[in-house]
Amino acid sequence: MEEIKVNYFVKYIGKSNPDIKNGEVYQCIGEWYDEKKQLHDLAVIDDSGEDYLYSPKVFEKVA
């Protein structure tokens, strides 16, 4: 896995839990790519204040 550092915002469209809420906007600070150079995970700073890896399928990029 390879990380590319980024800095943009995403809206969470998945199921809410204590650390991340549906419809909220969060900062994305990294994109993780697999050996085939396909996007595998996003490093997102959630409500815990820490960055965690999430599937890109549960986010929409905010313009």
Side-chain angles (χ1 to χ4, degrees), residues 7-63:
N7 187 16
Y8 59 84
F9 291 90
V10 290
K11 181 170 76 169
Y12 184 63
I13 56 173
K15 186 176 179 181
S16 294
N17 69 54
D19 290 327
I20 196 161
K21 310 259 183 315
N22 182 280
E24 294 293 317
V25 174
Y26 297 93
Q27 184 179 10
C28 178
I29 60 169
E31 296 175 341
W32 286 86
Y33 291 87
D34 64 18
E35 58 279 345
K36 296 178 183 175
K37 305 294 183 198
Q38 294 180 343
L39 182 60
H40 191 269
D41 292 302
L42 296 176
V44 174
I45 299 174
D46 62 18
D47 292 335
S48 72
E50 301 290 327
D51 63 289
Y52 288 95
L53 297 180
Y54 291 95
S55 169
K57 295 177 183 176
V58 294
F59 291 94
E60 293 176 345
K61 194 170 183 178
V62 176

